[in-house]
Amino acid sequence: MKYKNANNVLPVELIEAIQQYVQGEYIYIPIKDKSVNTVPTEYEVELQRRDRHIYTKALEGVSNKELSVMYSLSESSIRRIIINQRKRYESMKDKIKDILSNWNIESMEVKQIYDTVWELGGKYVLKVYDNIQMLERNIKISTILEDMGIPVGKIITGKNNTAFFCDEKYYYVLQERLPGSNIVNAREALAIGYDMGSIIGKLHLAFKKCEATGEFWNNSLLAEMKGWIKDTLKNGGWKLVDENRFNMTVKRLEDVYDKLNVQLIHRDVHFGNFLFSEGKFSGYIDFDLSQKNIRIFDLCYFLTGLLSEEEALKLTGEEWFKMLTDVFKGYESIIKLTKEEKAAAPYVMKSIELLFAAWFINQEDMACAQNAVKIFEFVDSNNDRIYNCLG
């Protein structure tokens, strides 16, 4: 039997828990009985989910120090989690080298930049999908926007002039890598609120032109609220969300919904999908969820996302209200919003957070569901101030 240093094999938080019972002594840990059901406990599942979140944030550029504050862990624990998560993806590197042959591209340096995205030699980006509809949506919109001169990653066609490659399990699309990176610093974010609004506005103008090129997925936030979101909350979600407040949100949204402008939108607007190089905007990425929906969805989605506990920016309430004002002003420098759209903004924001709460409940991720409800409650308590910020 070999002895191992606990510091090398156990997480710091577990060592600290054990030290409450014994310190400086040997402990024998028996081998787990493999005949026993090894289904992970709820706590283990939560830790696995947390570790994936931490790894994703690290890939986005959040520092270990920032992550330690976000997740209340020591920096050494953060490093250990990142190293362990990275090992899970190492085998993908060799597979990617084989996949590249479908584009007649020789092996090059492979670097993971997101859980499903890999940078190749600083020149290309390979994205892995398990949903062909999302892949086809990204290819279609990226191609249309690229033809219009909008800064997006050009789709690289492979053998037989195909836009993607598939194996027995996944689909792969290769695009040119755009210059720049996403914003992860609160100071930088606050400085470009107005610019972000105008950048979203310019994308919406381009999307309007896209609509003339064919059919796109039609969706409705109101229909989702009255459909699967309500059904999910009925099945246990009322413990998190007050049913009367939910019904009031739906009623107020429904009162004005038919007057809101509908068009093709990005649907996943956050700093991770907007690139900046030397302080200047350099490109849009990821149109997997793009759909026809109310256009203020993108603005509201972006702004409420900045309040998430997992968002590294950690804006204060006052900073968020300034960001709110700047983003809408920037958007209106490109596209004027109607009074109905401004009046609906708080209810769209609340609906988006209820959507997230329901989605996380379905994923059995109660921590994130509770976070979405907290944002819902923050917006609900600031309806008037949000509306006043929009002029």
Side-chain angles (χ1 to χ4, degrees):
M1 181 174 63
K2 295 181 179 179
Y3 292 105
K4 294 185 178 180
N5 189 325
N7 289 319
N8 296 331
V9 295
L10 298 178
V12 173
E13 56 268 30
L14 180 55
I15 294 175
E16 292 173 350
I18 293 172
Q19 286 172 332
Q20 296 179 36
Y21 301 94
V22 61
Q23 297 184 43
E25 298 181 31
Y26 294 118
I27 298 177
Y28 171 70
I29 298 179
I31 297 173
K32 180 183 286 188
D33 184 352
K34 294 184 179 179
S35 65
V36 176
N37 188 350
T38 58
V39 174
T41 65
E42 183 177 334
Y43 176 68
E44 289 172 331
V45 170
E46 197 62 38
L47 284 181
Q48 292 167 4
R49 186 178 288 120
R50 179 205 66 180
D51 290 355
R52 289 195 297 271
H53 289 168
I54 289 172
Y55 186 54
T56 297
K57 288 296 178 185
L59 291 172
E60 290 175 353
V62 182
S63 70
N64 289 356
K65 184 176 182 180
E66 291 171 316
L67 288 169
S68 70
V69 174
M70 290 170 64
Y71 292 91
S72 301
L73 295 171
S74 66
E75 287 190 54
S76 60
S77 291
I78 294 294
R79 283 194 294 272
R80 174 188 55 76
I81 289 168
I82 292 172
I83 289 171
N84 288 340
Q85 288 292 307
R86 187 178 292 131
K87 288 177 181 177
R88 295 177 59 240
Y89 293 96
E90 282 299 310
S91 61
M92 185 65 180
K93 286 188 176 182
D94 292 331
K95 186 174 182 180
I96 287 175
K97 293 176 182 178
D98 294 332
I99 291 170
L100 287 179
S101 64
N102 293 280
W103 284 273
N104 293 318
I105 294 176
E106 295 182 358
S107 177
M108 56 179 61
E109 182 184 1
V110 177
K111 175 185 176 184
Q112 187 177 15
I113 57 176
Y114 200 67
D115 57 346
T116 57
V117 184
W118 304 79
E119 180 184 302
L120 310 174
K123 186 176 181 181
Y124 302 106
V125 171
L126 181 75
K127 189 166 184 181
V128 183
Y129 290 83
D130 59 8
N131 183 308
I132 191 169
Q133 285 79 26
M134 294 174 69
L135 171 139
E136 290 176 336
R137 196 176 298 132
N138 187 41
I139 290 174
K140 178 179 181 179
I141 294 176
S142 294
T143 301
I144 295 171
L145 292 177
E146 200 259 332
D147 289 342
M148 292 168 56
I150 305 299
V152 297
K154 180 179 179 180
I155 301 293
I156 307 299
T157 55
K159 294 177 179 177
N160 303 318
N161 204 34
T162 55
F164 65 92
F165 166 73
C166 61
D167 57 22
E168 67 281 357
K169 191 173 182 180
Y170 297 111
Y171 305 90
Y172 307 87
V173 63
L174 188 69
Q175 293 179 263
E176 287 186 355
R177 185 193 183 283
L178 293 168
S181 58
N182 57 293
I183 299 292
V184 295
N185 179 278
R187 190 176 299 276
E188 289 182 83
L190 287 168
I192 62 167
Y194 184 92
D195 291 339
M196 273 301 299
S198 65
I199 290 164
I200 296 170
K202 291 173 183 176
L203 180 61
H204 280 186
L205 286 181
F207 275 155
K208 286 294 290 182
K209 295 179 181 178
C210 286
E211 291 178 19
T213 65
E215 295 295 320
F216 293 91
W217 175 25
N218 277 287
N219 201 7
S220 165
L221 177 60
L222 179 61
E224 289 188 283
M225 285 291 286
K226 297 171 73 173
W228 73 268
I229 296 173
K230 185 174 183 178
D231 291 341
T232 298
L233 296 178
K234 275 183 177 179
N235 295 325
W238 297 139
K239 293 181 293 185
L240 293 178
V241 181
D242 181 82
E243 185 176 2
N244 291 329
R245 292 168 80 180
F246 173 87
N247 290 332
M248 179 60 70
T249 299
V250 174
K251 175 67 169 58
R252 296 299 297 270
L253 182 64
E254 188 171 25
D255 287 345
V256 72
Y257 201 81
D258 288 342
K259 297 178 182 178
L260 304 181
N261 284 283
V262 174
Q263 68 157 83
L264 184 64
I265 63 171
H266 188 284
R267 178 46 181 78
D268 193 19
V269 176
H270 57 81
F271 275 124
N273 284 334
F274 293 75
L275 302 178
F276 293 82
S277 179
E278 298 181 355
K280 294 183 179 181
F281 175 67
S282 57
Y284 305 96
I285 60 175
D286 287 352
F287 304 102
D288 304 351
L289 299 176
S290 292
Q291 58 189 246
K292 293 185 73 172
N293 210 322
I294 52 176
R295 68 182 179 187
I296 59 168
F297 186 106
D298 274 352
L299 293 169
C300 295
Y301 183 102
F302 172 68
L303 287 160
T304 54
L306 298 177
L307 294 169
S308 170
E309 286 183 358
E310 290 185 2
E311 176 57 61
L313 298 175
K314 291 294 182 185
L315 301 181
T316 65
E318 292 305 312
E319 289 172 335
W320 185 81
F321 283 110
K322 181 182 185 305
M323 195 76 172
L324 167 72
T325 303
D326 290 348
V327 168
F328 270 81
K329 282 183 177 179
Y331 186 88
E332 289 208 278
S333 71
I334 305 299
I335 300 174
K336 292 298 180 183
L337 294 165
T338 66
K339 63 180 182 180
E340 290 84 6
E341 286 176 309
K342 293 180 181 180
Y347 303 101
V348 173
M349 291 181 183
K350 287 188 287 186
S351 297
I352 289 170
E353 290 311 309
L354 291 170
L355 180 155
F356 272 117
W359 190 84
F360 283 123
I361 288 171
N362 284 334
Q363 299 296 311
E364 299 182 350
D365 188 343
M366 300 311 295
C368 286
Q370 290 169 347
N371 178 224
V373 173
K374 286 181 183 178
I375 298 173
F376 165 83
E377 292 171 346
F378 171 83
V379 175
D380 194 42
S381 64
N382 286 282
N383 280 323
D384 292 342
R385 185 172 181 184
I386 291 171
Y387 181 66
N388 290 335
C389 284
L390 307 185

